[in-house]
Amino acid sequence: MKGLNTANIAHKKLDTETTKKRKAEAALTKKEKASKNSGAPKRPPTAFFIFMADFRKSYKENFPDNKSVAVVGKAGGEKWKAMCESEKAFYVEKAAKLKEEYEKINNKTANRGATKSEDSERSSEVNDDAEQQASS
């Protein structure tokens, strides 16, 4: 019986060691993903989130004692659902403008990345040519 218990304990230790390794690897991949996107521009808010920014200000003025985020969110969602399309149009247009600006910026950064890689390839070609001439 002692052999069975020690085998189970050894197996449990192995499981905890592998889970620790897996957690450490997952944390590293999360950090890598975060570092890759750190320079990217932030996505623009949707029409609802633009509305909520305005709504929070007015709600806070009307109910200064309220500290609950959930209550504000619920009230904002209900008001958004109750609004007609003409009332929402202002926020939709504003969101569309922000999205256009974001896409312009995002395209510029994507193009910049491509030109940098092209420039580095060109400079490496120039360096290769210079090395060949020097060795001749």
Side-chain angles (χ1 to χ4, degrees):
M1 289 203 146
K2 289 183 180 179
L4 292 175
N5 289 338
T6 56
N8 288 339
I9 293 170
H11 181 68
K12 288 180 182 177
K13 286 182 181 178
L14 180 65
D15 286 341
T16 57
E17 289 174 5
T18 55
T19 55
K20 285 180 183 178
K21 287 180 183 177
R22 288 180 186 165
K23 286 181 181 179
E25 289 173 0
L28 286 175
T29 56
K30 287 179 183 177
K31 288 180 182 177
E32 290 172 358
K33 288 180 183 178
S35 65
K36 287 180 184 178
N37 296 333
S38 63
K42 203 171 181 183
R43 290 180 62 186
T46 61
F48 175 72
F49 285 104
I50 295 170
F51 161 76
M52 282 302 294
D54 290 343
F55 181 79
R56 279 187 204 98
K57 291 175 188 173
S58 65
Y59 195 86
K60 192 172 184 179
E61 289 172 1
N62 294 336
F63 304 99
D65 297 334
N66 183 24
K67 304 279 183 181
S68 176
V69 176
V71 172
V72 176
K74 189 171 183 176
E78 289 173 0
K79 185 172 180 181
W80 179 259
K81 287 179 185 178
M83 291 171 67
C84 64
E85 292 299 319
S86 61
E87 293 173 324
K88 292 180 183 180
F90 169 75
Y91 299 106
V92 172
E93 288 174 14
K94 201 170 185 181
K97 288 179 185 177
L98 291 172
K99 186 175 181 181
E100 286 177 17
E101 292 174 10
Y102 167 77
E103 288 174 351
K104 287 179 185 176
I105 293 170
N106 200 21
N107 288 337
K108 286 180 183 178
T109 56
N111 291 338
R112 239 188 278 154
T115 56
K116 285 182 180 179
S117 62
E118 291 172 2
D119 291 342
S120 64
E121 288 175 8
R122 290 180 189 148
S123 64
S124 64
E125 290 174 4
V126 171
N127 290 338
D128 290 342
D129 292 338
E131 289 174 4
Q132 286 178 356
Q133 290 177 354
S135 64
S136 297

